[in-house]
Amino acid sequence: MRKSIYNFLVLSSLFMFTACGQNNKTTTKTIAMENVISKPENPYYSNTDTSKLVLTDDQWKKVLPPDLYAVARQADTERAFTGTMWKSETKGTYYCAACGLKLFKSDQKFVSSCGWPSFFEQDNKNSITFKDDNSYGMRRIEALCGRCDSHLGHLFDDGPEPTGKRYCMNAVSLDFVPDGTVAQNKGNLETITIGGGCYWCVEAVYENLTGVEKVVSGFAGGKVENPSYEEVCTGTTGAAEVVEITYDKTKTNLDEIFQVFFTVHDPTTLNRQGADVGTQYRSVIFYKNEEQKKAAESIIAELNKEVFNNKIVTTLEPFKAFYKAKDNHQNYYENNKNQPYCQMVIQPKLEKFEKVFKDRLKKKN
């Protein structure tokens, strides 16, 4: 990446682009539509591969978080009523958190009083297998992932029609992806999910960048499914305020997206932007594939070397799910320009962006 790209932080000429709006010579790898979750730390994880996995517990221990390892490989049971997954009615798809196999759709789920996610039917006959479980002096049927044999939970005969079955699952054993949150990767459109403090600020900036088709404010990260704004504000969910950016890669590119990102917020302050303090305001990039991860690593390395005196603390986290915030949080700046927060916090960021990227602004109608 050319050194001149970073002069914007020390010189007024700032960010001169010669390739924006042109196709690069490098080839962009397209991710299969069904391969919706990226877990680089787990090389066995796939949403498309259904071939049988046979691994030792030592191999699993190296790639799974401790809580997931305890449940998936040691048949532990999480506490009932953990998180919101057990009562959620959000539409989407559930996958094995250990290997990525598709297990259930939300229309196979029902809200049970047991406190664990419950389903009356599995995705297909091979997605879940069963064996007798006589532990703890009880006779039960253990439910296992059909691909990796990870423990998911148990099967009971007290479910609703039409099957009368209740697949009682541990939430930690499940990955959930809401409908409509996965980039379709059709044509020239791609998405990236980033957080740089209050999402109202970040949203206002990217809505004015040429090549950006859509910006949606919401939440990502953490272990609480579909958290509310109020829950995220407590700082206890692990989620961050983020924006999901859909952009036309023939009009802009990842480099420019990240250049804007590191211009309009301070990536050297840990878990804060100005008066907004907490992990929910952390500087973060949720990457969906290796291309996004490497592009982020590259610009961070260059900025640390050439520009910032303090080390960049932006975290790179694998994308799992994006949860859209309520409508009154969308397009917030445009709808609330006279509010003090908009005038005192968002407006200066927007003005800085417009000055630095004056040749890349969308044309006003």
Side-chain angles (χ1 to χ4, degrees), residues 121-167:
E121 187 177 37
Q122 61 196 70
D123 181 66
N124 63 75
K125 65 179 182 179
N126 297 318
S127 62
I128 298 175
T129 60
F130 307 95
K131 72 176 185 180
D132 290 336
D133 177 6
N134 297 315
S135 61
Y136 302 106
M138 296 183 287
R139 297 184 63 182
R140 296 179 294 176
I141 299 176
E142 182 181 10
L144 305 168
C145 171
R147 179 175 181 237
C148 69
D149 290 328
S150 287
H151 174 78
L152 301 171
H154 291 87
L155 179 68
F156 299 97
D157 292 322
D158 57 1
E161 295 297 334
T163 65
K165 301 294 184 181
R166 175 168 61 93
Y167 293 72

Side-chain angles (χ1 to χ4, degrees), residues 12 257 298:
S12 60
I257 296 291
S298 176

Side-chain angles (χ1 to χ4, degrees), residues 135-320:
S135 61
Y136 302 106
M138 296 183 287
R139 297 184 63 182
R140 296 179 294 176
I141 299 176
E142 182 181 10
L144 305 168
C145 171
R147 179 175 181 237
C148 69
D149 290 328
S150 287
H151 174 78
L152 301 171
H154 291 87
L155 179 68
F156 299 97
D157 292 322
D158 57 1
E161 295 297 334
T163 65
K165 301 294 184 181
R166 175 168 61 93
Y167 293 72
C168 185
M169 302 288 99
N170 289 283
V172 71
S173 294
L174 304 176
D175 283 336
F176 177 72
V177 177
D179 288 344
T181 63
V182 181
Q184 305 214 349
N185 294 313
K186 291 182 178 179
N188 298 315
L189 297 183
E190 293 188 351
T191 65
I192 183 71
T193 302
I194 58 177
C198 173
Y199 50 25
W200 297 336
C201 300
V202 184
E203 177 194 62
V205 166
Y206 281 102
E207 284 183 336
N208 289 280
L209 178 66
T210 295
V212 170
E213 297 290 321
K214 182 172 66 172
V215 186
V216 182
S217 290
F219 314 104
K223 295 185 177 180
V224 177
E225 180 194 352
N226 199 23
S228 67
Y229 175 75
E230 291 74 20
E231 288 174 323
V232 173
C233 283
T234 66
T236 62
T237 65
E241 289 195 14
V242 297
V243 294
E244 183 182 66
I245 302 167
T246 301
Y247 64 96
D248 186 335
K249 61 186 179 182
T250 67
K251 298 178 181 179
T252 185
N253 51 46
L254 271 178
D255 281 348
E256 185 172 56
I257 296 291
F258 289 152
Q259 289 159 12
V260 172
F261 178 65
F262 287 108
T263 303
V264 299
H265 88 295
D266 185 352
T268 69
T269 54
L270 183 63
N271 298 331
R272 74 176 300 157
Q273 288 296 305
D276 293 325
V277 181
T279 56
Q280 67 270 31
Y281 299 115
R282 66 186 180 273
S283 176
V284 58
I285 295 170
F286 289 96
Y287 59 89
K288 295 183 178 179
N289 51 55
E290 283 301 303
E291 179 198 11
Q292 292 183 352
K293 183 181 180 183
K294 289 179 179 178
E297 290 175 335
S298 176
I299 192 170
I300 288 173
E302 290 291 337
L303 289 174
N304 273 326
K305 180 180 178 181
E306 303 288 345
V307 178
F308 289 105
N309 293 323
N310 297 320
K311 185 178 180 181
I312 291 175
V313 295
T314 303
T315 60
L316 304 183
E317 303 177 28
F319 175 85
K320 293 183 178 180

